[in-house]
Amino acid sequence: MADYTGRDDTMNHDQIEERLIAERYLMGQLPPAEAAGFEDHYLGCAECVERLELLSRFENALRGVATEEVARAAATARLGVLAWLARLGRSRQISVLLGALVLLLLPSGFLSLRLARLGNELTDARIDLETARSGQAETGERVTRLEQDLASERRQADDRAAALEGRLAGALAARERLAEAVAEAERPRGNVPLLRLSPLRALPANDAPVHRLGLSAGTRLVVLVLEVDLQAASAYRATLSTKAGRALWTGRDLLPNAVGDLVLAVPGALLEPGDYQIQVEGRDSEGRRQLANGFSFRVTAAR
């Protein structure tokens, strides 16, 4: 605790007792400013005035006893303190012993009070320290959880970014392939396989298609010319399917050429070796469908 260094009207009895202000004042051990501050206090405090009077009487009594017995104490110093006390009267012995006891107990009492207060302060400090450590531990746990959540979010974000990059790369590759296919389709071609098909009038005896087409590997395009004989049809619909009936392609709103044929361009990859059939239906100007024409052909691997 800091020493009192100036006049202070707020001096209280806890400060006076704890720092032995009254005792030091009587012994002349207070600095002038602190002594003046204490005088301002005790002049208006009956309790402090009474305390000063009691201490003053006690000090005078001790001085009287010490003066009266100093000669005897010097003569009997070698006999020890007990011999000196033995020669005193009973009342005088009690007075001396009580005075010595008070002198011993006063500092120890203040020391005990001070130690008790320091012990309480230490206990409070320990409680505050434990509370701070507990709060620090909780804060550390929250920070750890936040760091873990952040790491998890980063991993998920990285995974999503990688997935998007993969999809983007795939889309770009598909776009390049499509561009190549379009460019390839726009280039003029020669030696394009062509197959002219006539409507089926009746099925062959062995149920085998009359028209045959040999395709070599890598054939990109096949041209099919259908000789339709439907009358008064404004548009046609053609469906290419396997012999088993699985539809491969359907074209709508098809228009015949100048000689009345339908011309279809079919990717060669769509026509694996096997039997195929094409069903054509006509539609008049009023949207009514006419009887369909049927076509069949067989694709074989060219040697």
Side-chain angles (χ1 to χ4, degrees):
M1 181 177 294
D3 290 338
Y4 178 77
T5 58
R7 300 183 63 156
D8 188 354
D9 293 337
T10 62
M11 181 180 292
N12 54 53
H13 292 286
D14 289 338
Q15 292 175 320
I16 293 171
E17 292 179 0
E18 182 179 355
R19 295 161 52 204
L20 302 177
I21 297 296
E23 289 78 353
R24 293 165 58 198
Y25 177 77
L26 288 176
M27 291 184 290
Q29 296 179 354
L30 287 178
E34 191 171 357
F38 178 62
E39 289 172 354
D40 288 343
H41 172 81
Y42 84 77
L43 288 177
C45 179
E47 181 178 349
C48 286
V49 171
E50 182 180 355
R51 180 182 182 86
L52 285 174
E53 291 177 354
L54 177 61
L55 290 173
S56 180
R57 289 197 300 270
F58 177 72
E59 182 182 7
N60 291 334
L62 289 179
R63 286 176 181 176
V65 172
T67 301
E68 184 177 337
E69 299 298 334
V70 66
R72 295 180 183 181
T76 60
R78 294 182 180 180
L79 298 177
V81 176
L82 292 178
W84 174 66
L85 290 174
R87 289 194 299 272
L88 296 176
R90 183 175 182 82
S91 60
R92 192 64 59 81
Q93 289 178 358
I94 294 175
S95 176
V96 172
L97 290 175
L98 286 178
L101 182 61
V102 170
L103 290 175
L104 292 173
L105 291 180
L106 278 176
S108 63
F110 287 114
L111 180 59
S112 299
L113 179 60
R114 179 59 177 164
L115 290 177
R117 290 180 179 176
L118 289 177
N120 293 335
E121 293 177 1
L122 179 59
T123 300
D124 294 340
R126 287 175 176 172
I127 293 175
D128 294 340
L129 179 59
E130 291 299 327
T131 302
R133 287 177 176 174
S134 177
Q136 185 179 6
E138 292 178 358
T139 302
E141 292 177 358
R142 289 196 296 270
V143 170
T144 300
R145 288 196 298 270
L146 289 175
E147 290 177 347
Q148 293 175 349
D149 294 342
L150 179 60
S152 177
E153 290 292 337
R154 286 177 175 173
R155 288 193 298 270
Q156 294 179 10
D158 291 341
D159 293 341
R160 290 193 294 269
L164 289 176
E165 289 178 357
R167 293 171 59 183
L168 178 60
L172 292 176
R175 181 178 179 180
E176 291 178 358
R177 290 193 299 270
L178 178 60
E180 293 175 357
V182 171
E184 181 70 18
E186 291 177 349
R187 285 196 291 268
R189 297 182 179 279
N191 301 322
V192 177
L194 184 145
L195 179 64
R196 179 176 292 277
L197 300 175
S198 300
L200 295 177
R201 304 303 178 188
L203 291 177
N206 58 358
D207 197 23
V210 176
H211 305 288
R212 297 174 180 269
L213 177 64
L215 295 180
S216 59
T219 300
R220 292 183 177 274
L221 195 64
V222 175
V223 176
L224 302 177
V225 179
L226 309 180
E227 298 176 359
V228 295
D229 57 1
L230 302 179
Q231 301 297 322
S234 59
Y236 296 90
R237 183 180 70 175
T239 301
L240 172 65
S241 59
T242 63
K243 184 178 180 180
R246 180 169 63 89
L248 301 178
W249 173 82
T250 298
R252 295 177 176 81
D253 297 326
L254 302 178
L255 299 177
N257 58 14
V259 296
D261 298 333
L262 292 179
V263 180
L264 307 179
V266 180
L270 190 64
L271 300 176
E272 297 178 352
D275 293 344
Y276 297 88
Q277 59 187 11
I278 300 176
Q279 196 75 16
V280 177
E281 295 179 350
R283 187 179 69 243
D284 60 19
S285 59
E286 297 181 358
R288 292 175 299 191
R289 292 183 180 179
Q290 297 181 0
L291 183 64
N293 285 149
F295 304 86
S296 65
F297 63 97
R298 174 172 292 177
V299 175
T300 61
R303 297 179 180 178

